[in-house]
Amino acid sequence: ANDGGMHNTKEMEMMRRTKRHPQYKQAQQCLEHKKKKDTTTTTTTTTTKQIVVADVMAGVGPFAIPLTSQYNNVTVHANDLNPTSFHYLKLNSQINHCNNNNILDNNKGDDDDEEQRLKMYNMDGRAFVRHLEEKQIVYHHVIMNLPANAIEFLDVFRGWKPPPLPSEKEEEEEGMYPMIHVHCFASKEEEVGKSEALARIETALQCKLDTSTEDNEVYVHIVRDVSPKN
């Protein structure tokens, strides 16, 4: 887990394409919004547009592995601070053939290798986002799947601006901002939970968010119930 300084290492799970991971459906859903806009096809043979994802708290790869092993048009920059999680992320990448060549022993990925669909990093979450910014890497989606405190890491996006794009792409994507998917724990009462999550996000970003209009593209919804069962 990427928790800003403390490692919470739990039992790890090896992930193979022959057995879909429980979060595989969630990984697919992360692309739904972008697919509707870009009419991206997810076949393994032809694609109309490349999608780049920044997975800030990737763990062992429940999102990054399915996205890069199942879709040829998706590149994921996957990061986790926990060295044990990072080790199994690399191993899962190899098992699931996420890259066309051997995985790297680099803790900061290989930003310039276009053949690497899954680029893996072993960094603090905020440092990872700043690293992508310094490298002027354009990404369309951000996944922050550390429910206990992922929202706190949103402060790294205060005042964030998209990196400059190559001249041939400026007309197509100028001013593009990524869709950020951030997970958190909240009340099981749906409306209360939504209000709690939105308030915490506003605090982290230091700005108000309006969910009443689609123009702002702010959506709060329940992913799943994780409360203890009797």
Side-chain angles (χ1 to χ4, degrees):
N2 186 338
D3 54 8
M6 297 178 64
H7 305 319
N8 180 19
T9 304
K10 298 181 179 180
E11 183 178 354
M12 300 296 175
E13 176 181 355
M14 303 305 294
M15 295 163 54
R16 295 180 182 270
R17 287 185 294 177
T18 53
K19 182 179 180 181
R20 289 191 174 183
H21 191 272
Q23 292 186 352
Y24 179 81
K25 184 177 180 180
Q26 294 179 33
Q28 288 181 306
Q29 290 172 344
C30 286
L31 295 180
E32 286 181 359
H33 181 79
K34 194 67 181 178
K35 285 193 295 183
K36 289 177 182 177
K37 283 190 170 183
D38 299 334
T39 61
T40 302
T41 175
T42 56
T43 64
T44 59
T45 55
T46 60
T47 60
T48 58
K49 189 161 186 172
Q50 295 298 309
I51 295 177
V52 181
V53 178
D55 194 349
V56 183
M57 298 124 178
V60 299
F63 289 92
I65 299 299
L67 288 173
T68 51
S69 63
Q70 299 294 322
Y71 303 110
N72 287 334
N73 64 316
V74 179
T75 296
V76 178
H77 294 263
N79 172 73
D80 203 273
L81 176 64
N82 187 329
T84 305
S85 295
F86 180 63
H87 167 76
Y88 283 101
L89 173 63
K90 292 195 296 181
L91 194 57
N92 280 328
S93 171
Q94 191 174 42
I95 291 172
N96 290 276
H97 307 290
C98 295
N99 288 322
N100 296 330
N101 46 8
N102 293 330
I103 59 175
L104 304 171
D105 291 326
N106 189 346
N107 70 340
K108 289 190 178 181
D110 190 354
D111 305 320
D112 299 323
D113 189 346
E114 295 183 358
E115 292 189 5
Q116 294 280 344
R117 291 200 306 273
L118 178 54
K119 305 171 190 290
M120 293 160 285
Y121 307 73
N122 183 206
M123 306 170 66
D124 168 76
R126 292 182 181 88
F128 167 66
V129 173
R130 294 187 184 111
H131 172 76
L132 298 183
E133 184 177 3
E134 290 171 2
K135 290 288 188 176
Q136 297 188 347
I137 294 172
V138 176
Y139 45 87
H140 308 93
H141 290 267
V142 179
I143 302 175
M144 305 177 75
N145 183 30
L146 187 65
N149 60 357
I151 286 179
E152 298 172 12
F153 284 78
L154 287 172
D155 61 6
V156 75
F157 291 104
R158 293 178 189 171
W160 185 91
K161 294 182 179 180
L165 295 163
S167 57
E168 67 270 14
K169 293 184 178 181
E170 285 182 356
E171 292 185 3
E172 179 184 355
E173 299 188 66
E174 185 176 5
M176 184 202 71
Y177 287 81
M179 174 67 73
I180 301 177
H181 310 262
V182 57
H183 293 235
C184 70
F185 294 127
S187 170
K188 65 180 181 180
E189 300 295 332
E190 185 171 356
E191 293 306 315
V192 175
K194 288 183 177 180
S195 296
E196 291 175 355
L198 189 61
R200 291 174 59 197
I201 292 171
E202 290 177 337
T203 298
L205 291 175
Q206 294 286 286
C207 67
K208 298 295 290 183
L209 299 174
D210 185 4
T211 60
S212 63
T213 171
E214 289 189 0
D215 292 339
N216 288 320
E217 298 190 274
V218 179
Y219 312 97
V220 183
H221 62 92
I222 295 175
V223 175
R224 62 182 176 130
D225 184 0
V226 295
S227 59
K229 304 299 182 183
N230 294 329

